[in-house]
Amino acid sequence: MSGAPTKSAAIAGRSYSKHDALARGLGYFSIGLGLAELVAPRLLSRATGVKDSEHIIRAFGVREVATGLAILASHDPTPWIWGRVGGDLIDIATAASALDGKNPKRENVALTLLALAATTAADIACAIGLTAQKQIATDAVADYSKRSGFPRAPRFMRGAARDLEVPTDMRIPELLRPYDEGTPKPKGRALGAKGLRP
Amino acid sequence: MKALVWHGTGDIRCDSAPDPKIEDARDAIIKVTSCAICGSDLHLFDHFIPGMESGDIMGHETMGEVVEVGAGSRAALKIGQRVIIPFTIICGQCEQCKRGNFSVCETTNRKKKLADVAFGHSGAGLFGYTHLTGGYSGGQAEYLRVPFADATHIKVPEGIEDEKLLFLSDIFPTGWQAAVQCDIQPTDTVAIWGCGPVGQMAICSAILMGAKRVFAIDRVPERLAMAKAGGAETIDFAEVNVVEALNEATKGKGPEKCTDAVGLEAHATSSIDAIYDRAKQAMMLESDRAHVLREMIYVCRPAGVLSVPGVYGGLIDKVPFGALMNKGLTIRTGQTHVNRWSDDLLRRIEEGQIDPSFVITHTVGLDQGPEMYKTFRDKQDGCIKVVLKPGEMAA
């Protein structure tokens, strides 16, 4: 009864693919960057020459830390890496808006954009790799609707093992057995009506 | 030899490892013909159970052929004997073994002091399952050293394929014991959380023991389809409220018997306690996610029974113990006393009452094991049960 052949794209002989490793690295990077944005927004704001942008940088920091934690905590980081790609695009758009000729720190902005482009490329490569890894393994839902392990339909097998004598240590107490008016009363109730304790 | 070796969280590799040797007179060495990845191996893969060390060999569902026997086991085992190795290592001589409580053998955990600290008192040594249970090398390998081999084995006849017998090592007796612990009556409704391999075995066992109705709870379509084929009525917890569905099906009274075949990595959707568990686990304030346990306690009929074959490793939080106490529920747990059931279950397989191989969805060489860990954990490719063949590795 062997099933479908193995189709995982992980490195042969290992459970941990290079895309998994990259995702974990990006998770740590995201947390580090996010903390920097939360702790020193004014410094980053000055470096890029964008005035009054501390609150935006802090918001980006919260996003980065949350995404990083999610990447590290989840079994499947794929959606969170794609989330990072979306965040990268927002970051690029924000930085690009600071590239006007009046900004004295536009060289720093250009460097920021370069770094963002590299990060985005890494995020996209990781997301595509993880998605492809998943896609290979989820081509179709298998049909197990006829696999029961029984030689006949379950309705004919119900109770086939009633010959089993349940060991005394696993039996339920007599008083908890199914209630039936016709069942002889267990010894514990032989105290009689007078003797029954409240 | 080749073996599947744990290197860290989510990192298992097919490495070369030293061939095992006889270390004690009661040892035997077996050449592994088939082994399997168990759902509880995934708890180690994800490192939710402490006590793993880099270099540990995985695996506790193993069968094969005896190739070497220590002097103390020669009366019980012969070279060439076909055997299944139960996941619990048993001495067969201590008080607990004599009572049939094999999974809490008092002798075989060679790192008993560690377990005494973690659990108060130690249970049996287990193959490939952390240093809390002895740090013994597991059977996802070409060869396995079996300590206390004169007691730790199940002899099986030739002529029946490995696939039908292999699961006597763990999941079949585990599902069976889960049902036996419920002491199923013909009037009982049994609810089983988790339709992985143990859940499927528990469903079959409940049907064979004559439960009036069996409900199977999961969210993976192919697992639910398999459960339905086995005679269960299915509840997709991603689609419906489990408590409401079970109460509705039982005229508001709840099922008499509930089985947790999920354990410490419960995946609930859109439930507050599941989010709470995830957050606490991420902050290392809680080791196990107890959503299923909470739900069972809540929905079970008063005076009912909870059976817990699912593995828990440490600490759980927000357990509604008031409900458990006030409803007078009985809870039965424990690792499986495999050898207590093996003769009876082998007979049932030989008579054709059941063929446990129905859960196998993937059979691959041992070298493909690391990838299959991930496929199994992520429930990809319709994966329900993986069998590994050390003899079928790529050259």
Side-chain angles (χ1 to χ4, degrees):
Chain A
M1 199 180 284
S2 60
T6 307
K7 293 183 287 185
S8 171
I11 301 167
R14 296 179 64 152
S15 58
Y16 195 59
S17 76
K18 60 183 179 183
H19 301 299
D20 293 318
L22 181 57
R24 192 168 287 187
L26 288 169
Y28 286 119
F29 172 75
S30 198
I31 291 169
L33 178 63
L35 288 176
E37 288 173 326
L38 283 170
V39 172
R42 187 169 293 173
L43 193 72
L44 293 168
S45 179
R46 280 185 194 152
T48 51
V50 184
K51 287 178 185 171
D52 302 326
S53 61
E54 286 93 335
H55 58 289
I56 296 174
I57 292 173
R58 271 202 200 96
F60 286 179
V62 171
R63 187 199 73 210
E64 289 283 358
V65 170
T67 312
L69 286 174
I71 289 168
L72 296 178
S74 64
H75 277 162
D76 178 12
T78 316
W80 300 106
I81 297 290
W82 279 117
R84 270 191 56 80
V85 174
D88 291 338
L89 296 177
I90 294 170
D91 290 349
I92 288 170
T94 309
S97 69
L99 253 188
D100 61 61
K102 293 174 191 167
N103 186 350
K105 301 283 178 65
R106 57 181 178 279
E107 283 178 6
N108 287 351
V109 175
L111 282 173
T112 304
L113 277 168
L114 208 62
L116 281 170
T119 310
T120 308
D123 284 334
I124 289 173
C126 184
I128 289 173
L130 289 172
T131 305
Q133 205 167 285
K134 264 174 61 174
Q135 196 60 46
I136 290 166
T138 53
D139 286 343
V141 175
D143 179 14
Y144 302 141
S145 59
K146 290 186 171 57
R147 288 190 181 207
S148 76
F150 296 137
R152 303 169 69 198
R155 67 179 185 279
F156 298 116
M157 299 306 295
R158 196 178 295 274
R162 285 210 180 108
D163 59 322
L164 172 81
E165 199 168 318
V166 175
T168 50
D169 61 318
M170 293 186 183
R171 291 177 75 81
I172 52 173
E174 204 60 42
L175 281 170
L176 300 184
R177 289 188 176 278
Y179 183 72
D180 180 352
E181 292 291 351
T183 306
K185 288 184 171 53
K187 283 181 184 173
R189 299 177 69 175
L191 290 165
K194 288 180 184 174
L196 270 177
R197 294 178 187 130
Chain B
M1 69 167 182
K2 289 289 181 188
L4 299 194
V5 178
W6 190 89
H7 284 268
T9 307
D11 188 358
I12 285 171
R13 303 175 198 169
C14 186
D15 285 347
S16 292
D19 286 348
K21 290 178 182 153
I22 297 284
E23 296 175 17
D24 182 271
R26 292 181 71 179
D27 286 357
I29 307 289
I30 71 157
K31 183 180 181 185
V32 178
T33 54
S34 298
C35 52
I37 304 175
C38 181
S40 58
D41 286 330
L42 299 180
H43 304 321
L44 307 182
F45 184 50
D46 291 331
H47 206 185
F48 283 124
I49 296 183
M52 288 299 283
E53 293 178 9
S54 183
D56 288 347
I57 296 176
M58 300 288 296
H60 58 265
E61 297 183 1
T62 312
M63 69 179 294
E65 181 190 320
V66 177
V67 291
E68 203 177 341
V69 189
S73 288
R74 282 182 195 148
L77 283 174
K78 300 277 178 277
I79 288 175
Q81 174 73 52
R82 191 182 189 209
V83 287
I84 291 164
I85 305 302
F87 74 97
T88 46
I89 303 169
I90 60 172
C91 73
Q93 296 168 344
C94 69
E95 186 184 323
Q96 294 287 12
C97 281
K98 284 178 181 167
R99 287 173 187 269
N101 295 330
F102 297 112
S103 75
V104 286
C105 170
E106 295 169 335
T107 312
T108 55
N109 187 350
R110 61 185 176 180
K111 297 189 177 177
K112 184 175 178 303
K113 283 183 182 172
L114 273 179
D116 284 347
V117 171
F119 301 137
H121 298 284
S122 170
L126 307 179
F127 287 102
Y129 216 80
T130 83
H131 289 258
L132 288 175
T133 57
Y136 291 100
S137 288
Q140 287 166 9
E142 290 182 278
Y143 294 92
L144 173 69
R145 179 177 82 89
V146 182
F148 300 91
D150 55 319
T152 308
H153 70 268
I154 302 162
K155 291 191 184 81
V156 288
E158 300 291 337
I160 306 176
E161 57 264 44
D162 278 16
E163 284 74 7
K164 281 188 178 179
L165 300 171
L166 174 61
F167 303 139
L168 284 170
S169 60
D170 181 353
I171 59 167
F172 187 20
T174 297
W176 185 262
Q177 183 174 306
V180 175
Q181 287 178 158
C182 288
D183 193 1
I184 292 169
Q185 306 296 309
T187 50
D188 279 348
T189 295
V190 180
I192 296 167
W193 277 254
C195 298
V198 168
Q200 300 291 345
M201 295 297 160
I203 290 164
C204 289
S205 301
I207 294 286
L208 288 172
M209 289 177 204
K212 184 181 170 192
R213 299 178 79 181
V214 176
F215 285 90
I217 301 147
D218 206 301
R219 67 173 172 183
V220 181
E222 54 269 30
R223 293 179 179 213
L224 289 169
M226 192 180 272
K228 196 173 179 185
E233 298 169 61
T234 57
I235 296 174
D236 182 342
F237 71 78
E239 298 290 329
V240 297
N241 181 299
V242 173
V243 172
E244 284 176 11
L246 286 172
N247 278 333
E248 196 178 315
T250 53
K251 297 179 182 169
K253 290 187 168 187
E256 287 95 340
K257 310 288 163 66
C258 296
T259 297
D260 174 359
V262 175
L264 66 91
E265 288 189 69
H267 298 274
T269 51
S270 64
S271 87
I272 292 169
D273 71 315
I275 296 164
Y276 170 85
D277 280 338
R278 285 277 189 187
K280 283 202 80 169
Q281 203 177 44
M283 292 186 284
M284 301 181 81
L285 296 172
E286 176 185 56
S287 60
D288 304 0
R289 304 197 295 263
H291 172 77
V292 168
L293 213 48
R294 294 186 194 106
E295 204 159 69
M296 289 204 315
I297 291 170
Y298 193 74
V299 77
C300 189
R301 189 176 299 197
V305 177
L306 310 179
S307 176
V308 186
V311 171
Y312 286 84
L315 304 173
I316 54 175
D317 197 1
K318 299 287 179 288
V319 174
F321 208 81
L324 183 85
M325 183 270 164
N326 282 286
K327 286 159 73 175
L329 303 181
T330 299
I331 181 163
R332 291 202 169 101
T333 68
Q335 299 282 6
T336 310
H337 309 308
V338 177
N339 291 63
R340 195 160 167 177
W341 318 110
S342 47
D343 289 350
D344 184 35
L345 295 182
L346 178 59
R347 173 182 65 84
R348 292 179 195 279
I349 292 170
E350 286 178 308
E351 289 176 357
Q353 194 177 88
I354 186 166
D355 173 1
S357 69
F358 75 98
V359 292
I360 301 172
T361 54
H362 292 67
T363 303
V364 299
L366 184 71
D367 53 339
Q368 290 176 289
E371 297 132 75
M372 295 315 298
Y373 261 91
K374 205 168 181 183
T375 304
F376 182 30
R377 183 196 63 188
D378 297 340
K379 302 173 182 70
Q380 293 175 337
D381 200 26
C383 187
I384 295 181
K385 188 70 180 175
V386 180
V387 170
L388 305 169
K389 297 280 188 179
E392 295 176 15
M393 283 187 283

